[in-house]
Amino acid sequence: MAKNNSFFSSIKNAIHSEDAVYNTSNNDSFDQVLERARVSRRGFLKGGSSLAAASVLGMGLALGTDSLKKGGSQAVASTRSLSFSPVAKNIADTLTVPPGYTAQVLLATGDPLKANVTPYKNDGTDNDFDVRAGDHHDAMHYFGLNRAGNGWDPNGTDRALLAINHEVCEDVGFVHPNGPTDYGPENTNARPTVEIDKEVAAHGVTIVEIVKQGNTYEINRNSRFNTRVTAATRCQITGPARRSAMMVTAFSPSGEQTRGTLNNCANGYTPWGTYLTCEENWAGYFHRREEDSARTANEVASFKRYGIGNATSGRYNWSRPGANDRTDMYRRWDTSKTGARPQQDFRNVANTFGWVVEIDPFNPNAMPQKRTAIGRFAHEGCWAAPAVAGQSLTFYSGDDARNEYIFKFVSAAKWDPRDANRGMAAGDKYLNEGTLYAAKFNDDGSGEWLPLTLSNPAIANYADYDFADEADVLINARIAADAAGATKMDRPEWGGVSPVNGEVYFTLTNNVSSSSGRGVRTALDAANPRYFADDKDGKVSSGNVNGHIIRWREAGDNHTATRFTWDVYLFGARSTADANVNLSGLTEENAFSSPDGLWFSEAVPGLLWLQTDDGYMTNTSNCMMLAALPGRVGDGGPKTVLNKSVPINNNADQAVQTYVGQEASPTVLRRFLVGPRDCEITGITESPDGKAIFVNIQHPGENSTSAYDPTQFTSHWPDGGNARPRSATVIITRNDGGTIAV
Ligand code: FEO
Ligand code: CA
Ligand code: CA
Ligand code: CA
């Protein structure tokens, strides 16, 4: 049962599918106009129209701050300042917060959700994850409970429901007594169903009630709301792909349902108080062993574009339980054609994953709804623009894989503030019909949204894939975006809309690969302008190693617009890097790499949180969280990046013109937290008074080389001693009871 380093590294290489690349299209860029947007937080919560006056900026890229008229809310942001001492980079196995702050673990992997469930032993023997917190905590959201305790109050501080994503079940196998029996590739023994069932149940979402105690919160284990959604929960398929022939399975011959939600990464929340959990690296879970000739040309093209090869077993080998168990609960992970008809097998099952899934936290009996109108890809998250009465709603989404796209969905229905408490019925109204767009970032700093529909001739007449209908366009949204000509990005992760000025921010975590990385095989462009080599203690990585954060302002201050103006808010870098790499002037107090989580506080308009999922700067610091007070599109200006020895340019230097926001001094960007070893910091939410924030520490010790030998663990956080490391939600408060960060 002993594992060695090469075993673990080969597993990790095989299963981290976001590191793979499946975009072989030729898309790049062209040209257009500019503008900007603004709506307040109250507009989002109450559906009101507190639109501040818009200022028209004129043409071209003369976006100096002098040309920007400042509205009232902008003035609010500019008077804020960060009030905490920056946390130093460090590689200690501990969670570091600023002096005067306290971080406490609220809910870790395996912790009970019910009063009658035993404490988690953390030795691999607890098998009842359906009544425990899942693993790999990722995005989460705080939903205040009203005084009656039966519905949503956006301003409720005394009681609340936390909705927490559990992206995966960690790969080391800490949830099993002696590690996994075998995640193995082909020719391995079948897996014990007890292990598969536990891993399936450790995925999904936790809903848990929290209650205020002093200036912090505790879990209410007697709450009727506490529940789990897992990779086995029955889900409804809604929107245009419902009842599509491409969704038919033996589980649902009518194509109306599927079982489970998977790889729940980032999230979103709606103006009607429901949770959106998003399916990211689902493709790696499926077994498919068949000749491509067994499938149609369209099916093979789709499998290739989403990364489901014809000789794969899935990251945990879930389709292969003990020989006596071939029930659908396991067979459903096999997306090969094994029966005579699609109603007899699971050839289409992969089409039922990759969606935004709506969950009503206030109604534990409501079935999760897969919203197919928002498209199928490696959904990082789904973030709403402020709801404006009488206007369509807009949701932004990113596809996290190298060279993939940024999307937005615009609802057909216009927002009626009376829907703010209608739960899933409002979801049915706004999320099942609308237009999905993909983003094109032009080299002149303008951008446009390309509609993904058969009425777009580039899609209807696409030579590389023959779309059957609008459902097919959504199921294969990646291919539709290829056809439309969207811009390949450096791995889109989280997005967010500034409550101060309506500008939209998206993290692009990095793009490094000898086979497809930026500047190596994928051309540089203005929106993805960097190629450089970074030396991490002798290991050299090349491409966009540290990532960046792009932002844009929609035309006419309207999130439903089809034109926008962009710049790069921040470039990640070592503070010691060359000026052509450290383009944002980062210092020791705010140097970061691989931005992933990004979230605008609503309690403190103008405060932006950034979180990292990094493997490049980790010789100098564990992953971290930073607080920022961003400016606006155009507050810096045009800049020429000189990239050295770019492979795609015959190893010659290549100058790329881009647009960079103002330099980020520690006054406006400052490190707030550093996590324990080998973790990712991801997921953040807050109490409505801004006095408590909730942050997730994901997979501390993920590079451990044994599941049971403590000397081989790289972290023992949070329990310490010889304990197996666990993911956890932490709650951070100020010792003086004040507002966090400012
Ligand atoms: Fe699950 Fe792209 O992070
Ligand atoms: Ca992420
Ligand atoms: Ca990431
Ligand atoms: Ca992770």
Side-chain angles (χ1 to χ4, degrees):
M1 204 61 70
K3 309 294 190 213
N4 59 40
N5 284 311
S6 64
F7 172 84
F8 276 93
S9 61
S10 68
I11 289 253
K12 282 179 191 307
N13 289 339
I15 61 190
H16 282 210
S17 59
E18 74 273 22
D19 292 337
V21 65
Y22 307 105
N23 191 347
T24 53
S25 70
N26 294 318
N27 295 349
D28 54 26
S29 322
F30 68 100
D31 63 300
Q32 255 335 309
V33 204
L34 77 106
E35 31 280 281
R36 83 166 225 232
R38 119 181 3 252
V39 183
S40 79
R41 173 193 182 217
R42 262 174 237 295
F44 173 76
L45 294 176
K46 302 215 181 356
S49 55
S50 49
L51 279 161
S55 38
V56 176
L57 293 180
M59 305 291 292
L61 285 155
L63 283 177
T65 42
D66 290 347
S67 68
L68 293 164
K69 296 174 187 170
K70 288 188 174 162
S73 48
Q74 171 68 12
V76 169
S78 63
T79 60
R80 291 197 190 288
S81 57
L82 300 173
S83 65
F84 62 91
S85 301
V87 168
K89 293 186 293 185
N90 72 75
I91 53 172
D93 187 29
T94 188
L95 176 62
T96 315
V97 294
Y101 284 79
T102 298
Q104 296 169 276
V105 172
L106 181 72
L107 189 74
T109 296
D111 280 349
L113 299 180
K114 306 279 187 188
N116 62 356
V117 176
T118 55
Y120 188 56
K121 292 193 280 296
N122 198 19
D123 61 2
T125 59
D126 288 304
N127 295 332
D128 49 350
F129 267 83
D130 53 332
V131 287
R132 298 180 182 277
D135 200 11
H136 266 224
H137 301 40
D138 208 311
M140 70 185 145
H141 191 65
Y142 176 110
F143 292 94
L145 262 170
N146 60 18
R147 285 191 185 277
N150 60 6
W152 184 43
D153 174 3
N155 296 312
T157 53
D158 293 343
R159 296 170 64 193
L161 303 182
L162 274 187
I164 305 169
N165 282 356
H166 300 290
E167 188 178 30
V168 305
C169 183
E170 45 72 31
D171 306 319
V172 182
F174 293 121
V175 298
H176 303 306
N178 299 302
T181 299
D182 211 330
Y183 290 154
E186 201 181 9
N187 300 327
T188 57
N189 296 326
R191 299 201 59 211
T193 53
V194 64
E195 290 187 11
I196 297 176
D197 293 347
K198 180 155 49 174
E199 291 160 9
V200 165
H203 283 68
V205 177
T206 290
I207 310 290
V208 67
E209 183 181 333
I210 56 172
V211 179
K212 192 161 190 189
Q213 294 288 340
N215 75 340
T216 184
Y217 289 82
E218 292 180 354
I219 304 288
N220 174 10
R221 292 196 161 83
N222 295 308
S223 173
R224 70 180 178 92
F225 296 108
N226 295 359
T227 192
R228 287 294 318 283
V229 172
T230 75
T233 302
R234 183 183 289 257
C235 296
Q236 198 77 241
I237 294 164
T238 64
R242 179 174 171 82
R243 299 196 192 97
S244 158
M246 297 170 69
M247 305 295 258
V248 168
T249 62
F251 177 68
S252 181
S254 60
E256 295 174 323
Q257 292 187 349
T258 191
R259 247 200 223 105
T261 182
L262 201 56
N263 214 267
N264 306 80
C265 183
N267 66 348
Y269 39 98
T270 64
W272 50 94
T274 60
Y275 188 64
L276 302 176
T277 185
C278 300
E279 300 178 331
E280 189 193 21
N281 291 309
W282 47 272
Y285 287 72
F286 293 100
H287 177 112
R288 180 173 169 247
R289 290 189 172 273
E290 61 188 356
E291 296 299 325
D292 279 345
S293 57
R295 307 301 291 262
T296 67
N298 264 12
E299 285 175 332
V300 172
S302 176
F303 281 131
K304 284 207 167 109
R305 192 63 183 80
Y306 284 90
I308 303 176
N310 63 354
T312 55
S313 295
R315 67 184 291 173
Y316 302 102
N317 216 358
W318 283 345
S319 67
R320 304 181 64 184
N324 295 330
D325 200 334
R326 292 293 296 158
T327 56
D328 284 358
M329 193 54 91
Y330 309 99
R331 198 167 67 105
R332 67 191 171 110
W333 300 110
D334 184 351
T335 193
S336 318
K337 186 173 171 181
T338 58
R341 297 185 302 126
Q343 291 84 355
Q344 295 171 335
D345 60 24
F346 288 87
R347 71 185 69 176
N348 291 324
V349 71
N351 291 338
T352 71
F353 290 86
W355 303 105
V356 173
V357 186
E358 185 175 14
I359 293 173
D360 184 351
F362 301 99
N363 184 358
N365 299 318
M367 201 185 303
Q369 309 283 311
K370 298 207 175 190
R371 300 296 186 188
T372 66
I374 311 176
R376 173 173 166 265
F377 40 91
H379 266 286
E380 179 77 19
C382 184
W383 294 277
V388 178
Q391 285 189 16
S392 295
L393 300 179
T394 300
F395 293 82
Y396 295 96
S397 217
D399 183 356
D400 180 14
R402 281 199 304 272
N403 310 320
E404 297 298 348
Y405 307 121
I406 292 173
F407 296 81
K408 79 174 178 185
F409 169 76
V410 177
S411 70
K414 309 282 198 265
W415 176 241
D416 179 346
R418 289 174 300 182
D419 290 329
N421 279 309
R422 290 187 62 226
M424 214 66 104
D428 290 340
K429 176 176 173 182
Y430 295 100
L431 297 181
N432 286 348
E433 204 184 330
T435 305
L436 184 66
Y437 298 87
K440 181 169 177 52
F441 293 82
N442 299 321
D443 285 345
D444 67 354
S446 68
E448 58 202 292
W449 290 105
L450 311 169
L452 305 184
T453 149
L454 287 173
S455 51
N456 180 341
I459 294 173
N461 305 323
Y462 191 45
D464 292 357
Y465 187 92
D466 183 16
F467 290 99
D469 52 24
E470 297 290 359
D472 193 358
V473 171
L474 295 166
I475 291 168
N476 288 292
R478 270 188 182 171
I479 301 176
D482 293 343
T487 302
K488 296 175 177 177
M489 307 302 287
D490 287 345
R491 292 186 52 197
E493 299 254 22
W494 288 50
V497 180
S498 166
V500 171
N501 60 24
E503 292 180 353
V504 190
Y505 285 61
F506 255 78
T507 53
L508 301 166
T509 197
N510 55 51
N511 192 347
V512 179
S513 161
S514 58
S515 62
S516 63
R518 188 66 65 176
V520 180
R521 295 292 170 85
T522 306
L524 296 161
D525 59 34
N528 302 275
R530 274 195 316 180
Y531 166 89
F532 59 97
D534 176 77
D535 186 334
K536 176 187 171 186
D537 294 343
K539 183 174 188 296
V540 177
S541 302
S542 300
N544 179 6
V545 182
N546 303 128
H548 58 290
I549 301 169
I550 201 162
R551 64 182 171 186
W552 62 89
R553 172 181 301 167
E554 299 280 10
D557 296 341
N558 188 333
H559 286 279
T560 68
T562 56
R563 305 277 183 188
F564 59 89
T565 304
W566 64 267
D567 73 5
V568 175
Y569 161 52
L570 273 181
F571 286 94
R574 296 180 191 272
S575 58
T576 52
D578 180 88
N580 280 292
V581 174
N582 187 9
L583 292 157
S584 295
L586 302 184
T587 67
E588 268 301 284
E589 292 82 5
N590 59 25
F592 70 94
S593 173
S594 307
D596 189 332
L598 176 155
W599 191 69
F600 280 98
S601 169
E602 292 172 354
V604 185
L607 174 63
L608 173 67
W609 293 102
L610 301 174
Q611 302 174 314
T612 69
D613 172 17
D614 183 44
Y616 297 108
M617 225 173 73
T618 43
N619 57 334
T620 61
S621 186
N622 300 335
C623 287
M624 60 185 69
M625 186 166 90
L626 306 101
L629 298 171
R632 57 199 319 156
V633 172
D635 62 11
K639 198 158 192 165
T640 301
V641 186
L642 185 62
N643 296 288
K644 306 280 174 60
S645 307
V646 181
I648 207 168
N649 200 34
N650 297 318
N651 295 314
D653 295 352
Q654 183 180 351
V656 178
Q657 167 105 359
T658 187
Y659 310 94
V660 187
Q662 68 184 357
E663 290 209 339
S665 74
T667 308
V668 292
L669 177 69
R670 195 177 287 187
R671 192 177 302 108
F672 180 84
L673 170 160
V674 175
R677 277 192 209 121
D678 287 350
C679 78
E680 167 185 346
I681 307 296
T682 182
I684 176 166
T685 189
E686 68 188 355
S687 60
D689 58 10
K691 294 183 174 180
I693 61 171
F694 302 81
V695 175
N696 281 330
I697 311 300
Q698 191 190 64
H699 61 57
E702 77 162 341
N703 293 321
S704 299
T705 53
S706 164
Y708 53 87
D709 176 358
T711 66
Q712 304 301 309
F713 302 170
T714 62
S715 171
H716 299 281
W717 192 90
D719 303 313
N722 277 334
R724 297 178 184 203
R726 293 193 285 164
S727 298
T729 300
V730 297
I731 176 167
I732 301 172
T733 50
R734 245 168 89 162
N735 299 346
D736 65 4
T739 304
I740 306 296
V742 294

